[in-house]
Amino acid sequence: MNGEMFRKTTKGTPQGGNLSPLLANIYLNELDKLLTQRGHQFVRYADDCNIYVKSKRAGERVLRNVTIFLENKLELTINRHKTTVGSPLRLKFLGFTLGVDRNGAYARPHKVVKQRIKQALKIMTGRSRGISWLMLMKEIKQKMRGWLQYYGIGKMKTFIQQLDQWLRSRIRQLIWKRWKKIKTRYRELIKLGMTPEQAKTNANTRKGYWRTAHSKTLTYTYTNQKLERLGLINLSKTLQQIQSA
């Protein structure tokens, strides 16, 4: 792409094609050998590489040397904006960063990745979307199963529990919005087990959609179990199944 315009490729391989990472691995094998000979700890996936050293000063020195090797020996161009020296506890690699506890280092989804998935779910569950419940639940399930399959090797139990709670609130909010009229809300609350008096009081509430989603009006009637029967994926259970498989 040239800006927003597509141009026919006259050389190289298509971006995202299966051949690209294979050719990158063959060509960058020389880099792997160099780093191994110098005793560096590193991890590389196609053209994305992290080299681990003991200090920032050492990192800057290694970066200079590797840049010279890649640009002069292999005739590659280094992306100066994405290439940096920093802490593995903050930098992102393949969507992950590292955390440390008393048991040592562990992988976890980077904060940017967490923000993006929450934003994607927010768009999916937007109040103005005209989509059936069946399609919405299927869309969320497909998105989150794929996401959890990829990031499931990381430590994120607390984040997923919080995302579960937030997503349920988004769905309850959407339910309340779609009921629209007071008589519809009254009828539906009766179906969910409220007495006529309770249903009348709650159907006439002046609370906003988000407040109502967190109130007893919906948390006691549209329980987590009922949301699952509606088709909503249980993220915590799904993550547990993936990690224990």
Side-chain angles (χ1 to χ4, degrees), residues 93-106:
F93 180 68
L94 303 178
F96 290 91
T97 187
L98 294 181
V100 179
D101 59 19
R102 60 184 180 182
N103 297 316
Y106 59 88

Side-chain angles (χ1 to χ4, degrees), residues 46-231:
D47 62 345
D48 201 352
C49 182
N50 274 9
I51 305 169
Y52 301 100
V53 294
K54 292 184 178 180
S55 66
K56 184 177 180 180
R57 185 176 178 181
E60 290 169 347
R61 183 185 68 252
V62 171
L63 177 59
R64 283 195 302 272
N65 294 336
V66 169
T67 299
I68 291 171
F69 175 80
L70 290 172
E71 293 188 337
N72 295 346
K73 179 78 173 179
L74 299 185
E75 299 183 7
L76 296 171
T77 302
I78 301 297
N79 188 323
R80 306 287 178 174
H81 297 292
K82 293 183 178 180
T83 306
T84 185
V85 176
S87 169
L89 303 182
R90 290 190 292 273
L91 295 179
K92 180 163 68 74
F93 180 68
L94 303 178
F96 290 91
T97 187
L98 294 181
V100 179
D101 59 19
R102 60 184 180 182
N103 297 316
Y106 59 88
R108 59 179 177 175
H110 193 272
K111 64 179 181 181
V112 172
V113 170
K114 294 177 181 178
Q115 291 167 356
R116 284 175 181 169
I117 192 61
K118 190 171 182 178
Q119 182 62 26
L121 289 172
K122 188 173 183 179
I123 292 171
M124 284 184 189
T125 56
R127 297 201 306 260
S128 60
R129 287 194 74 198
I131 184 173
S132 69
W133 283 118
L134 182 63
M135 289 302 298
L136 178 60
M137 296 300 109
K138 183 179 179 181
E139 194 176 86
I140 293 172
K141 187 174 183 178
Q142 288 178 338
K143 179 74 173 179
M144 292 312 302
R145 277 206 68 89
W147 193 90
L148 291 170
Q149 287 281 3
Y150 181 79
Y151 290 102
I153 62 171
K155 190 175 181 179
M156 55 173 173
K157 183 179 178 180
T158 300
F159 169 71
I160 290 301
Q161 288 175 341
Q162 293 170 347
L163 190 64
D164 247 337
Q165 294 174 356
W166 175 84
L167 181 57
R168 287 167 185 148
S169 294
R170 291 285 300 180
I171 296 301
R172 290 185 179 108
Q173 175 186 234
L174 193 55
I175 289 170
W176 193 248
K177 168 68 168 57
R178 289 191 175 186
W179 284 349
K180 289 184 179 180
K181 297 180 180 180
I182 292 176
K183 64 179 182 180
T184 304
R185 292 171 179 172
Y186 174 81
R187 184 178 66 248
E188 294 298 330
L189 290 174
I190 291 287
K191 288 181 183 178
L192 291 168
M194 281 192 177
T195 64
E197 186 178 347
Q198 290 172 328
K200 183 178 180 180
T201 300
N202 288 294
N204 283 279
T205 182
R206 293 188 177 182
K207 293 178 182 177
Y209 298 122
W210 191 241
R211 281 191 65 194
T212 304
H214 289 84
S215 70
K216 294 179 180 179
T217 304
L218 289 181
T219 55
Y220 280 21
T221 52
Y222 250 110
T223 62
N224 296 346
Q225 290 74 25
K226 285 183 179 178
L227 289 177
E228 285 187 50
R229 287 198 291 272
L230 187 67

Side-chain angles (χ1 to χ4, degrees), residues 9-59:
T9 301
T10 57
K11 61 182 180 179
T13 59
Q15 186 173 1
N18 294 332
L19 187 59
S20 298
L22 174 61
L23 293 176
N25 282 335
I26 293 171
Y27 197 70
L28 290 173
N29 185 55
E30 299 303 312
L31 173 63
D32 296 346
K33 290 195 292 187
L34 175 72
L35 296 175
T36 302
Q37 288 169 1
R38 294 184 178 182
H40 292 310
Q41 299 293 322
F42 68 97
V43 57
R44 183 177 64 78
Y45 183 86
D47 62 345
D48 201 352
C49 182
N50 274 9
I51 305 169
Y52 301 100
V53 294
K54 292 184 178 180
S55 66
K56 184 177 180 180
R57 185 176 178 181

